[in-house]
């Protein structure tokens, strides 16, 4: 069987762009991932697309005019009006004013919206698209939230809806609940949202009983969540939902902050868990967009997303990477405690060793509860999916 080659959407805007020296997003992430996959020889020229920047008109599909104007003014002046700070949370709550405070998130949004259009219009050649600069799932219509100024995931899902799809599944495996996406589609049964996230972690939303009117499922997991437990949720909750829903398209938010070495969570996954989820989804829908998301250890993020890209391409990951790729990882620095004496495998490998563990009873209970009362997918989507094609 001939498989279509995935597309990779990136941008040079991420190189050197930082939220500030003391911010968790001071680290290079997308640029390092792009450098790493290129050093591995994993990206053919025809597979790469440079991300366009979403226009203000594009962004008004979800965000308010006043907020977009305030965000653009903050970039132009490198300061924020006190009224805008209070209303829109720009320059507050960990959402600093920085050099590309509008341009960078608008580039992420443009990339995700482009991915939605490519998967709709280009047929099998573009049925899988990876946008590591996307995944800002906390952004609200009128304010910044959780380091997210725009909600590129929502904008991409809306683009799919505008193109005629009516049965979409959004899966979020970031350590933090995908609150902005769930809230955006809480009244829209065309988008079914699933979020696996650390219980009790900011933004302190997404309890299991919250189902957004029936078309959302939240899987809050305990501290120490391991590969074995993710496998249980994948096989006994997530994939059964996909088989029942039969979505026309799937968007995966693949935040790397659930990996054990991340400083902003207490979960214990290896990056193999992320690859396993991506691999399982590849055959479950005719359209797949994989986003980035959280992740605050530069080695963890780059190795995770590079490995996901390899998985999407059905490429083997060697036990030791070549010198050019190793040089990319050795060129990183990290000013938190984990960066003072990094283990050697952060420089020489992409795939983590598996991190299995006991599967706690609450994980089995969560999986069973997740499947209770699943709504039927939209009837029109079955015929629509056939007409739209892969």
């Amino acid at each position: 069987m001939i498989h279509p080659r995935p597309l990779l959407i990136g941008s040079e805007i991420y190189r050197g762009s930082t939220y500030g020296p003391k911010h968790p997003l001071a680290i290079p992430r997308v640029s390092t991932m792009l450098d790493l996959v290129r050093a591995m020889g994993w990206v053919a020229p025809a597979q790469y697309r440079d991300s366009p920047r979403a226009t203000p008109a594009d962004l008004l599909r979800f965000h308010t005019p006043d907020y977009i104007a305030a965000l653009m003014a903050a970039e132009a002046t490198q300061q924020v009006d006190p009224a805008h700070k209070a209303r829109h949370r720009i320059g507050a709550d960990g959402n600093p004013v920085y050099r590309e405070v509008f341009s960078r998130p608008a580039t992420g949004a443009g990339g995700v919206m482009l991915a939605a259009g490519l998967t709709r219009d280009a047929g099998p050649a573009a049925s899988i698209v990876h946008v590591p600069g996307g995944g800002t799932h906390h952004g609200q219509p009128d304010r910044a939230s959780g380091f997210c100024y725009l909600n590129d995931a929502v904008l991409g899902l809306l683009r799919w809806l505008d193109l005629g799809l009516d049965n979409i599944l959004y899966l979020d495996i970031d350590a933090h609940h995908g609150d902005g996406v769930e809230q955006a589609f809480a009244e829209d049964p065309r988008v079914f949202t699933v979020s696996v996230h650390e219980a009790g972690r900011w933004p302190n939303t997404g309890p299991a009983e919250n189902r957004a009117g029936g078309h959302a499922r939240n899987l809050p997991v305990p501290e120490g969540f391991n590969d074995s437990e993710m496998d249980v949720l994948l096989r006994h909750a997530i994939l059964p939902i996909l088989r029942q829903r039969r979505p026309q398209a799937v968007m995966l938010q693949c935040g790397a902050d659930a990996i054990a070495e991340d400083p902003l969570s207490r979960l214990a996954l290896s990056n193999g868990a992320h690859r396993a989820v991506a691999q399982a989804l590849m055959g479950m829908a005719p359209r797949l967009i994989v986003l980035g998301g959280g992740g605050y250890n530069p080695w963890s993020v780059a190795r995770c997303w590079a490995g996901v890209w390899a998985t999407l391409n059905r490429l083997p990951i060697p036990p030791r990477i070549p010198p050019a790729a190793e040089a990319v990882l050795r060129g990183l620095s990290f000013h938190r405690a984990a960066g003072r004496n990094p283990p050697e495998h952060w420089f020489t490998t992409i795939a983590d060793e598996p991190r299995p563990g006991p599967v706690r009873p609450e994980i089995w209970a969560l999986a069973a509860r997740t499947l209770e009362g699943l709504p039927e997918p939209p009837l029109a989507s079955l015929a629509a999916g056939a007409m739209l094609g892969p």
Side-chain angles (χ1 to χ4, degrees), residues 63-286:
H63 295 282
T64 66
D66 287 349
Y67 177 50
I68 296 304
L71 203 56
M72 295 176 70
E75 177 167 301
T77 64
Q78 288 298 289
Q79 57 187 359
V80 61
D81 179 276
H84 289 167
K85 181 176 182 178
R87 177 179 174 185
H88 302 300
R89 311 314 294 167
I90 303 168
D93 309 330
N95 309 305
V97 176
Y98 66 101
R99 187 177 58 195
E100 306 90 358
V101 69
F102 171 77
S103 300
R104 174 170 157 174
T107 299
V112 181
M113 296 170 80
L114 172 63
L118 288 170
T119 55
R120 169 59 180 86
D121 297 331
S127 59
I128 299 176
V129 185
H130 190 18
V131 193
T136 53
H137 58 170
H138 299 305
Q140 301 292 322
D142 197 39
R143 61 181 171 87
S145 177
F147 314 159
C148 303
Y149 298 86
L150 302 173
N151 200 312
D152 52 65
V154 169
L155 289 161
L157 292 164
L158 287 170
R159 175 62 59 87
W160 264 340
L161 294 177
D162 292 343
L163 292 171
L165 278 70
D166 67 353
N167 182 10
I168 300 168
L169 188 133
Y170 171 81
L171 172 61
D172 193 314
I173 61 172
D174 194 287
H176 302 79
H177 176 232
D179 59 331
V181 183
E182 181 185 291
Q183 292 165 19
F185 297 101
E187 305 300 326
D188 193 336
R190 297 175 297 174
V191 180
F192 194 96
T193 63
V194 180
S195 179
V196 181
H197 51 270
E198 183 179 349
R201 174 68 54 187
W202 188 95
N204 301 307
T205 54
E209 58 271 19
N210 177 21
R211 296 188 167 185
H215 42 274
R217 291 295 184 273
N218 284 298
L219 291 84
V221 298
E223 181 178 339
F225 181 60
N226 60 53
D227 287 2
S228 302
E229 293 176 320
M230 176 61 98
D231 182 64
V232 165
L233 293 186
L234 177 63
R235 291 187 295 111
H236 295 281
I238 295 168
L239 294 183
I241 290 173
L242 264 74
R243 285 191 286 268
Q244 190 266 359
R245 298 293 300 174
R246 297 167 63 188
Q248 299 160 328
V250 174
M251 181 179 289
L252 170 64
Q253 200 271 20
C254 203
D257 47 4
I259 293 172
E261 295 90 356
D262 195 274
L264 295 193
S265 83
R266 294 186 176 88
L267 305 183
L269 296 179
S270 74
N271 60 30
H274 292 66
R275 296 196 307 277
V277 172
Q279 184 171 29
L281 297 182
M282 288 168 63
M284 297 294 288

Side-chain angles (χ1 to χ4, degrees), residues 355-373:
R355 291 176 180 142
V359 179
R360 288 165 282 185
E362 56 263 45
I363 297 296
W364 287 107
L366 188 59
R369 183 177 184 182
T370 297
L371 300 180
E372 295 173 355

Side-chain angles (χ1 to χ4, degrees), residues 29-64:
R29 303 182 331 141
V30 178
S31 58
T32 305
M33 179 271 186
L34 295 174
D35 290 346
L36 186 55
V37 297
R38 286 168 174 152
M40 293 296 298
W42 286 346
V43 187
Q47 288 182 277
Y48 183 77
R49 300 285 188 277
D50 197 55
S51 178
R53 183 181 302 171
T55 66
D58 293 332
L59 300 173
L60 295 181
R61 182 65 179 84
F62 178 63
H63 295 282
T64 66

Side-chain angles (χ1 to χ4, degrees), residues 28-29 31-37 39-40 42 271 297-307 319-334 339 342-352:
R29 303 182 331 141
S31 58
T32 305
M33 179 271 186
L34 295 174
D35 290 346
L36 186 55
V37 297
M40 293 296 298
W42 286 346
N271 60 30
N297 176 322
W299 290 283
S300 294
V301 176
R303 294 167 66 248
C304 178
W305 293 348
R320 174 146 189 158
I321 60 178
E326 186 175 328
V328 172
L329 295 175
R330 289 195 183 276
L332 296 172
S333 61
F334 189 38
E344 185 68 8
H345 73 269
W346 286 5
F347 303 135
T348 60
T349 68
I350 286 176
D352 288 335

Side-chain angles (χ1 to χ4, degrees), residues 12-31:
E12 285 299 299
I13 197 170
Y14 302 101
R15 193 178 302 278
S17 174
T18 172
Y19 280 36
K22 295 184 179 180
H23 195 280
L25 284 176
I27 62 172
R29 303 182 331 141
V30 178
S31 58

